[in-house]
Short mmCIF file of all heavy atoms in Angstrom, two decimals:
data_model
loop_
_atom_site.label_atom_id
_atom_site.label_comp_id
_atom_site.label_asym_id
_atom_site.label_seq_id
_atom_site.Cartn_x
_atom_site.Cartn_y
_atom_site.Cartn_z
N ASP A 1 153.87 112.08 72.47
CA ASP A 1 153.17 113.34 72.57
C ASP A 1 152.21 113.48 71.56
O ASP A 1 151.88 114.58 71.03
CB ASP A 1 154.09 114.52 72.58
CG ASP A 1 154.97 114.54 71.34
OD1 ASP A 1 155.09 113.58 70.53
OD2 ASP A 1 155.55 115.54 70.93
N ARG A 2 151.53 112.44 71.19
CA ARG A 2 150.40 112.48 70.13
C ARG A 2 149.10 112.38 70.78
O ARG A 2 148.91 111.88 71.80
CB ARG A 2 150.65 111.25 69.14
CG ARG A 2 151.79 111.60 68.16
CD ARG A 2 151.86 110.45 67.28
NE ARG A 2 153.07 110.61 66.26
CZ ARG A 2 154.43 110.36 66.61
NH1 ARG A 2 154.70 109.81 67.80
NH2 ARG A 2 155.25 110.62 65.81
N VAL A 3 148.06 112.96 69.97
CA VAL A 3 146.74 112.94 70.53
C VAL A 3 145.80 112.36 69.29
O VAL A 3 146.19 112.50 68.18
CB VAL A 3 146.17 114.32 70.94
CG1 VAL A 3 146.95 114.77 72.10
CG2 VAL A 3 146.35 115.33 69.83
N LEU A 4 144.77 111.82 69.74
CA LEU A 4 143.65 111.25 68.78
C LEU A 4 142.49 112.36 68.89
O LEU A 4 142.00 112.57 69.89
CB LEU A 4 143.19 109.89 69.15
CG LEU A 4 142.30 109.05 68.20
CD1 LEU A 4 142.94 108.87 66.87
CD2 LEU A 4 141.75 107.96 68.88
N VAL A 5 142.08 112.85 67.67
CA VAL A 5 141.12 113.95 67.57
C VAL A 5 139.91 113.58 66.73
O VAL A 5 140.17 112.98 65.67
CB VAL A 5 141.90 115.16 67.09
CG1 VAL A 5 140.81 116.33 66.95
CG2 VAL A 5 142.97 115.65 67.92
N ARG A 6 138.75 113.85 67.18
CA ARG A 6 137.49 113.78 66.40
C ARG A 6 137.19 115.23 65.93
O ARG A 6 137.01 116.12 66.67
CB ARG A 6 136.52 113.27 67.30
CG ARG A 6 135.15 113.16 66.55
CD ARG A 6 134.01 112.58 67.36
NE ARG A 6 134.20 111.28 67.79
CZ ARG A 6 134.46 110.91 69.15
NH1 ARG A 6 134.40 111.84 70.00
NH2 ARG A 6 134.68 109.75 69.45
N ARG A 7 137.09 115.43 64.56
CA ARG A 7 136.76 116.66 64.02
C ARG A 7 135.34 117.03 64.45
O ARG A 7 134.38 116.21 64.44
CB ARG A 7 136.71 116.71 62.58
CG ARG A 7 138.04 116.81 61.93
CD ARG A 7 137.98 116.90 60.39
NE ARG A 7 139.20 116.77 59.69
CZ ARG A 7 139.99 117.75 59.46
NH1 ARG A 7 139.85 118.88 59.75
NH2 ARG A 7 141.26 117.34 58.82
N ILE A 8 135.05 118.42 64.77
CA ILE A 8 133.77 118.80 65.10
C ILE A 8 133.19 119.67 63.81
O ILE A 8 133.94 120.56 63.49
CB ILE A 8 133.77 119.83 66.28
CG1 ILE A 8 134.30 118.99 67.57
CG2 ILE A 8 132.47 120.34 66.58
CD1 ILE A 8 134.47 119.90 68.74
N GLU A 9 132.18 119.09 63.19
CA GLU A 9 131.65 119.76 62.11
C GLU A 9 131.04 121.13 62.40
O GLU A 9 130.35 121.29 63.42
CB GLU A 9 130.53 118.90 61.39
CG GLU A 9 131.16 117.65 60.96
CD GLU A 9 132.09 117.60 59.82
OE1 GLU A 9 132.05 118.57 59.05
OE2 GLU A 9 132.99 116.93 59.81
N GLY A 10 131.33 122.12 61.44
CA GLY A 10 130.85 123.48 61.63
C GLY A 10 129.27 123.59 60.91
O GLY A 10 128.84 122.54 60.44
N ASP A 11 128.79 124.83 60.91
CA ASP A 11 127.47 125.03 60.29
C ASP A 11 127.59 124.69 58.73
O ASP A 11 128.59 125.01 58.18
CB ASP A 11 127.10 126.38 60.60
CG ASP A 11 126.74 126.65 62.08
OD1 ASP A 11 126.43 125.59 62.70
OD2 ASP A 11 126.68 127.77 62.42
N ALA A 12 126.49 124.35 58.33
CA ALA A 12 126.38 124.09 56.86
C ALA A 12 125.65 125.22 56.16
O ALA A 12 125.32 125.18 54.90
CB ALA A 12 125.61 122.79 56.47
N LYS A 13 125.50 126.38 56.77
CA LYS A 13 124.89 127.60 56.18
C LYS A 13 125.74 128.80 56.50
O LYS A 13 126.45 128.96 57.43
CB LYS A 13 123.50 127.79 56.93
CG LYS A 13 122.49 126.87 56.60
CD LYS A 13 121.22 127.25 57.27
CE LYS A 13 120.09 126.29 57.03
NZ LYS A 13 118.67 126.63 57.64
N THR A 14 125.60 129.66 55.50
CA THR A 14 126.29 130.94 55.70
C THR A 14 125.53 131.87 56.65
O THR A 14 124.33 131.50 56.98
CB THR A 14 126.48 131.77 54.35
OG1 THR A 14 125.09 132.17 53.89
CG2 THR A 14 127.21 130.88 53.30
N SER A 15 126.04 132.98 57.04
CA SER A 15 125.33 133.98 57.98
C SER A 15 124.06 134.53 57.31
O SER A 15 123.20 134.83 57.98
CB SER A 15 126.23 135.13 58.30
OG SER A 15 126.82 135.75 57.33
N GLY A 16 124.17 134.43 55.97
CA GLY A 16 122.76 134.93 55.25
C GLY A 16 121.79 133.86 54.91
O GLY A 16 120.86 134.15 54.39
N GLY A 17 122.12 132.57 55.39
CA GLY A 17 121.17 131.56 55.36
C GLY A 17 121.34 130.51 54.14
O GLY A 17 120.55 129.66 53.96
N LEU A 18 122.25 130.81 53.25
CA LEU A 18 122.64 129.98 52.20
C LEU A 18 123.25 128.66 52.65
O LEU A 18 124.06 128.60 53.45
CB LEU A 18 123.57 130.61 51.14
CG LEU A 18 123.07 131.93 50.48
CD1 LEU A 18 124.15 132.50 49.72
CD2 LEU A 18 121.81 131.60 49.71
N ILE A 19 122.74 127.55 52.07
CA ILE A 19 123.30 126.31 52.37
C ILE A 19 124.54 125.93 51.61
O ILE A 19 124.62 126.21 50.41
CB ILE A 19 122.31 125.13 52.18
CG1 ILE A 19 121.04 125.38 53.02
CG2 ILE A 19 122.85 123.82 52.33
CD1 ILE A 19 119.86 124.38 52.90
N ILE A 20 125.66 125.58 52.29
CA ILE A 20 126.95 125.28 51.71
C ILE A 20 126.94 123.84 51.17
O ILE A 20 126.79 123.04 52.14
CB ILE A 20 128.18 125.65 52.52
CG1 ILE A 20 127.99 127.09 52.96
CG2 ILE A 20 129.33 125.24 51.86
CD1 ILE A 20 128.88 127.46 54.12
N PRO A 21 127.12 123.40 50.02
CA PRO A 21 127.25 122.01 49.62
C PRO A 21 128.50 121.37 50.13
O PRO A 21 129.51 122.11 50.32
CB PRO A 21 127.20 122.05 48.04
CG PRO A 21 127.63 123.49 47.73
CD PRO A 21 127.34 124.38 48.86
N ASP A 22 128.36 120.10 50.38
CA ASP A 22 129.60 119.34 50.86
C ASP A 22 130.84 119.57 50.03
O ASP A 22 131.96 119.64 50.60
CB ASP A 22 129.32 117.88 50.93
CG ASP A 22 128.29 117.52 52.08
OD1 ASP A 22 128.22 118.34 52.98
OD2 ASP A 22 127.67 116.45 52.05
N THR A 23 130.72 119.68 48.71
CA THR A 23 131.87 119.90 47.86
C THR A 23 132.61 121.20 48.10
O THR A 23 133.82 121.26 47.64
CB THR A 23 131.42 119.65 46.43
OG1 THR A 23 130.50 120.71 46.09
CG2 THR A 23 131.06 118.34 46.07
N ALA A 24 131.91 122.28 48.61
CA ALA A 24 132.49 123.57 48.76
C ALA A 24 132.93 123.85 50.17
O ALA A 24 133.60 124.80 50.53
CB ALA A 24 131.46 124.63 48.37
N LYS A 25 132.62 122.91 51.06
CA LYS A 25 132.94 123.02 52.52
C LYS A 25 134.41 122.78 52.77
O LYS A 25 135.02 121.91 52.16
CB LYS A 25 132.23 122.09 53.48
CG LYS A 25 130.86 122.42 53.61
CD LYS A 25 130.28 121.46 54.76
CE LYS A 25 128.85 121.26 54.57
NZ LYS A 25 128.32 120.22 55.40
N GLU A 26 135.01 123.61 53.66
CA GLU A 26 136.52 123.30 54.13
C GLU A 26 136.30 122.40 55.28
O GLU A 26 135.40 122.47 56.06
CB GLU A 26 137.06 124.66 54.54
CG GLU A 26 137.52 125.46 53.34
CD GLU A 26 138.50 126.63 53.72
OE1 GLU A 26 139.13 126.44 54.77
OE2 GLU A 26 138.53 127.53 53.00
N LYS A 27 137.32 121.57 55.49
CA LYS A 27 137.32 120.65 56.66
C LYS A 27 137.52 121.50 57.85
O LYS A 27 138.23 122.63 57.99
CB LYS A 27 138.44 119.72 56.56
CG LYS A 27 138.18 118.74 55.43
CD LYS A 27 139.21 117.56 55.51
CE LYS A 27 138.99 116.46 54.37
NZ LYS A 27 139.93 115.43 54.57
N PRO A 28 136.80 121.21 58.88
CA PRO A 28 136.85 121.93 60.08
C PRO A 28 138.22 121.95 60.87
O PRO A 28 138.79 120.89 60.69
CB PRO A 28 135.70 121.41 61.11
CG PRO A 28 135.48 120.09 60.50
CD PRO A 28 135.89 120.16 59.10
N GLN A 29 138.60 123.03 61.51
CA GLN A 29 140.00 123.03 62.20
C GLN A 29 139.75 122.96 63.71
O GLN A 29 140.58 123.42 64.36
CB GLN A 29 140.71 124.30 61.74
CG GLN A 29 141.15 124.27 60.22
CD GLN A 29 141.70 125.58 59.90
OE1 GLN A 29 141.06 126.44 59.40
NE2 GLN A 29 143.00 125.70 60.31
N GLU A 30 138.60 122.45 64.07
CA GLU A 30 138.21 122.40 65.44
C GLU A 30 137.96 120.86 65.69
O GLU A 30 137.41 120.14 64.90
CB GLU A 30 136.92 123.18 65.71
CG GLU A 30 136.56 123.38 67.13
CD GLU A 30 135.35 124.23 67.28
OE1 GLU A 30 135.22 125.18 66.48
OE2 GLU A 30 134.55 123.97 68.15
N GLY A 31 138.35 120.51 66.94
CA GLY A 31 138.04 119.06 67.22
C GLY A 31 137.98 118.77 68.76
O GLY A 31 138.23 119.63 69.60
N GLU A 32 137.71 117.54 69.06
CA GLU A 32 137.60 117.05 70.45
C GLU A 32 138.62 116.00 70.63
O GLU A 32 138.80 115.18 69.74
CB GLU A 32 136.22 116.63 70.76
CG GLU A 32 136.02 116.10 72.23
CD GLU A 32 134.85 115.53 72.52
OE1 GLU A 32 133.89 115.48 71.62
OE2 GLU A 32 134.79 114.98 73.60
N ILE A 33 139.45 116.12 71.68
CA ILE A 33 140.47 115.10 71.88
C ILE A 33 139.79 113.87 72.49
O ILE A 33 139.07 113.91 73.41
CB ILE A 33 141.58 115.64 72.85
CG1 ILE A 33 142.21 116.71 72.15
CG2 ILE A 33 142.43 114.40 73.27
CD1 ILE A 33 143.41 117.27 73.05
N VAL A 34 140.13 112.75 71.78
CA VAL A 34 139.53 111.38 72.21
C VAL A 34 140.46 110.72 73.12
O VAL A 34 140.09 109.99 74.11
CB VAL A 34 139.19 110.63 70.94
CG1 VAL A 34 138.77 109.07 71.22
CG2 VAL A 34 138.21 111.21 70.12
N ALA A 35 141.77 110.70 72.67
CA ALA A 35 142.77 109.99 73.66
C ALA A 35 144.16 110.71 73.54
O ALA A 35 144.35 111.43 72.49
CB ALA A 35 142.99 108.43 73.09
N VAL A 36 144.95 110.53 74.63
CA VAL A 36 146.17 111.30 74.68
C VAL A 36 147.21 110.36 75.02
O VAL A 36 147.09 109.28 75.91
CB VAL A 36 146.04 112.38 75.84
CG1 VAL A 36 147.46 113.02 76.04
CG2 VAL A 36 144.96 113.33 75.50
N GLY A 37 148.47 110.54 74.46
CA GLY A 37 149.53 109.71 74.75
C GLY A 37 150.20 110.00 76.13
O GLY A 37 149.74 111.01 76.81
N ALA A 38 151.09 109.25 76.55
CA ALA A 38 151.80 109.47 77.92
C ALA A 38 152.76 110.62 77.87
O ALA A 38 152.90 111.25 79.05
CB ALA A 38 152.55 108.34 78.22
N GLY A 39 153.04 111.26 76.79
CA GLY A 39 153.96 112.48 76.77
C GLY A 39 155.32 112.08 76.25
O GLY A 39 155.76 110.89 76.33
N ALA A 40 156.02 113.03 75.77
CA ALA A 40 157.40 112.79 75.22
C ALA A 40 158.38 112.78 76.36
O ALA A 40 158.04 112.89 77.53
CB ALA A 40 157.84 113.92 74.37
N LYS A 41 159.57 112.18 76.14
CA LYS A 41 160.66 112.01 77.12
C LYS A 41 161.65 113.20 76.92
O LYS A 41 162.08 113.48 75.80
CB LYS A 41 161.25 110.74 77.12
CG LYS A 41 160.27 109.62 77.65
CD LYS A 41 160.99 108.35 77.74
CE LYS A 41 159.96 107.24 78.16
NZ LYS A 41 160.67 105.93 78.39
N ASP A 42 162.26 113.70 78.04
CA ASP A 42 163.39 114.73 77.88
C ASP A 42 164.70 113.97 77.81
O ASP A 42 164.68 112.65 77.61
CB ASP A 42 163.33 115.60 78.96
CG ASP A 42 163.54 115.12 80.45
OD1 ASP A 42 164.01 113.94 80.49
OD2 ASP A 42 163.37 115.82 81.35
N GLU A 43 165.67 114.71 77.62
CA GLU A 43 167.09 114.06 77.52
C GLU A 43 167.53 113.12 78.71
O GLU A 43 168.24 112.14 78.36
CB GLU A 43 168.05 115.18 77.40
CG GLU A 43 167.96 115.90 76.13
CD GLU A 43 168.97 117.15 76.09
OE1 GLU A 43 169.73 117.25 76.94
OE2 GLU A 43 168.89 117.84 75.06
N ASP A 44 166.98 113.27 79.80
CA ASP A 44 167.18 112.32 80.99
C ASP A 44 166.29 111.21 81.04
O ASP A 44 166.40 110.46 81.89
CB ASP A 44 167.06 113.22 82.24
CG ASP A 44 168.08 114.24 82.29
OD1 ASP A 44 169.16 114.09 81.75
OD2 ASP A 44 167.77 115.36 82.92
#
């Protein structure tokens, strides 16, 4: 039940137009699924 994910980078500017340096950026919590496993198995 695992998936392979590619992060999707967000904007590098604030809403006011300031550029955010790489050292201050948080890693994005959004991504695109690249590959999917077959799924977990139940008790049966």
